[in-house]
Amino acid sequence: MNKQGNLYTIIYIVVLVVLVGAALAFTSISLKDRQQANADADKMRQILASVNINPEKSDIISDYNKYITDAFVVDENGTKVTDAPAAFAVNVAAQIKEPDDRRLLPVYECRLDNGDIKYIMPMYGAGLWGPIWGYISVDSDGSTIYGAYFAHQGETPGLGAEIEKPAFRDQFVGKHLIKDGRMLPVAVVKAGQTPDGDEDYVDGVSGGTITSKGVGAMIDNCLTPYSNFLKNLEAK
């Protein structure tokens, strides 16, 4: 075959593409389990961060198994869903698109070293440039926030990305989700302002107005369906 001809060039390119594609596919498949394990470990780290536990990378799984004593799914009535997928496997990003009465609501129960029980709920929403997500933990009274964790995919450094910093998330500690028997998710407002209602509030990120509003909307959308579950905890 003439190596200078067009046919040879086309065949060479096709063979090269097939070989490279096969190599990439093989690499992707062979690394899939490891990639999933890394993603699961990072999710465990984020859950623990909402109760102020920050393990070393090598200790994430062991600490998760130590402190997370139960994980279950509830419905909008606060009742455990016995035939639901495992809480860890629930896709929160997909669930927020469902009506409240059809949502699967994961709950992680955490027992701290001093014996205190905390309940952790996941959240997912939209920021300025992409998705934002996080976890909020509450005391066993079902109302008082014990800790919070927020993350983002692509918010602006120094602006919206500040939601992941302690200066923002620590404001949530001690705030309440239930007042006078009513579910009132914490509002995120511009510094110096107050919400129109009676809900507790925190200051939004300076210069990150849209991201701050996204966090507020995420908290409202994701935690409101837990209202009955949290009120049941309060009743105990």
Side-chain angles (χ1 to χ4, degrees), residues 121 123 136-138 142-148 150 168-179 182-189 194-195 197-204 212-224 230:
M121 297 161 289
M123 304 174 293
I136 279 191
S137 62
V138 297
S143 177
T144 308
I145 294 178
Y146 179 74
F150 300 100
F168 176 72
R169 63 175 187 255
D170 288 351
Q171 296 182 86
F172 288 85
V173 177
K175 303 297 184 183
H176 294 85
L177 298 174
I178 298 175
K179 288 187 172 183
R182 294 185 299 151
M183 181 71 175
L184 295 172
V186 177
V188 181
V189 299
T194 59
D198 298 327
E199 66 267 32
D200 283 355
Y201 63 94
V202 301
D203 291 337
S212 297
K213 289 182 177 180
V215 172
M218 174 177 71
I219 293 172
D220 189 16
N221 183 32
C222 292
L223 295 191
T224 297
L230 295 174

Side-chain angles (χ1 to χ4, degrees), residues 103-123:
R103 286 195 198 180
L104 298 177
L105 307 171
V107 179
Y108 301 91
E109 183 180 291
C110 173
R111 181 183 294 273
L112 301 179
D113 288 329
N114 63 4
D116 287 351
I117 301 297
K118 311 297 177 185
Y119 296 91
I120 304 166
M121 297 161 289
M123 304 174 293

Side-chain angles (χ1 to χ4, degrees), residues 8-25:
Y8 178 85
T9 301
I10 293 172
I11 294 175
Y12 179 84
I13 292 174
V14 170
V15 171
L16 184 62
V17 169
V18 170
L19 290 176
V20 171
L24 291 175

Side-chain angles (χ1 to χ4, degrees), residues 64-148:
Y64 179 86
N65 291 331
K66 172 184 176 182
Y67 290 106
I68 303 301
T69 54
D70 196 8
F72 50 88
V73 174
V74 299
D75 58 22
E76 68 163 348
N77 297 315
T79 305
K80 288 186 178 181
V81 182
T82 56
D83 59 347
F88 197 84
V90 172
N91 185 338
V92 179
Q95 290 301 315
I96 64 170
K97 300 175 183 178
E98 298 288 341
D100 288 359
D101 60 354
R102 295 179 58 186
R103 286 195 198 180
L104 298 177
L105 307 171
V107 179
Y108 301 91
E109 183 180 291
C110 173
R111 181 183 294 273
L112 301 179
D113 288 329
N114 63 4
D116 287 351
I117 301 297
K118 311 297 177 185
Y119 296 91
I120 304 166
M121 297 161 289
M123 304 174 293
Y124 192 93
L128 173 60
W129 301 114
I132 56 177
W133 63 91
Y135 297 87
I136 279 191
S137 62
V138 297
D139 291 341
S140 55
D141 65 3
S143 177
T144 308
I145 294 178
Y146 179 74

Side-chain angles (χ1 to χ4, degrees), residues 28-39:
S28 176
I29 293 172
S30 62
L31 294 177
K32 185 176 181 179
D33 290 343
R34 184 179 300 178
Q35 291 171 340
Q36 186 60 53
N38 288 338

